[in-house]
Amino acid sequence: MKYVWVVEGGEYSDYRVAGVFSKKEHAVMANRALGTKLEVAKWPLDPCVEELSQGYKQYRVVMLRDGTTEDVRLELYTYNFVDSVFLWKRTEAPAYKGKGIPDALSAVVWAKDEKHAVKIVNEKRTEMIANGKWEVK
């Protein structure tokens, strides 16, 4: 996948993109020259075009450490065109803490259907456990 470098920053109505560059060095140089407090971010070029052309859709999957799928649904309202996978540490979150609700893998992935999405996330879950990135508490 190819990438571009973006000088961006701010929040909500103050958010802006100051420039898009083909090389990180160019973005850093421009950001310094502008004297801004903006960030240099790496963005994928033409994200999801291949997936869309193959008929894939984005699905959100929530999966427990033992492989149990808590939720799988078509993701209709995301602004991410690339996969997003993270360990949802519910055991540490104030809303869930002390309620016996285990941590879960939360993922948005491109897949053919729900079954395919669960398979993809299960592979990511297995990899995380094998690499010691999902410890039992």
Side-chain angles (χ1 to χ4, degrees):
M1 180 175 289
K2 293 181 180 181
Y3 295 89
V4 292
W5 297 91
V6 179
V7 177
E8 64 173 347
E11 294 181 3
Y12 302 103
S13 62
D14 184 46
Y15 174 80
R16 68 184 188 276
V17 172
V20 179
F21 302 86
S22 60
K23 295 181 180 179
K24 183 178 182 179
E25 305 80 44
H26 295 169
V28 169
M29 179 178 60
N31 196 27
R32 283 185 185 143
L34 292 171
T36 68
K37 294 184 180 182
L38 300 177
E39 300 292 323
V40 174
K42 184 178 182 182
W43 286 12
L45 188 61
D46 295 331
C48 75
V49 170
E50 184 176 336
E51 291 87 348
L52 289 170
S53 67
Q54 293 176 12
Y56 284 35
K57 296 178 182 172
Q58 276 194 321
Y59 289 86
R60 176 172 300 280
V61 179
V62 177
M63 185 176 287
L64 301 180
R65 191 176 195 282
D66 68 1
T68 301
T69 302
E70 253 190 18
D71 188 30
V72 59
R73 66 181 68 181
L74 200 54
E75 181 64 41
L76 301 173
Y77 305 106
T78 185
Y79 294 107
N80 294 325
F81 292 124
V82 294
D83 287 356
S84 169
V85 179
F86 69 94
L87 185 56
W88 184 9
K89 295 187 178 184
R90 300 187 293 192
T91 54
E92 298 174 13
Y96 297 99
K97 196 172 188 173
K99 296 182 180 175
I101 299 171
D103 293 343
L105 187 62
S106 179
V108 175
V109 297
W110 288 96
K112 297 173 191 172
D113 52 37
E114 287 185 4
K115 185 177 177 181
H116 185 217
V118 169
K119 180 180 184 296
I120 291 167
V121 175
N122 191 46
E123 290 169 358
K124 293 180 184 300
R125 177 193 66 85
T126 303
E127 184 179 309
M128 284 180 75
I129 292 170
N131 292 332
K133 294 181 179 176
W134 193 343
E135 298 294 325
V136 179
K137 290 190 176 191

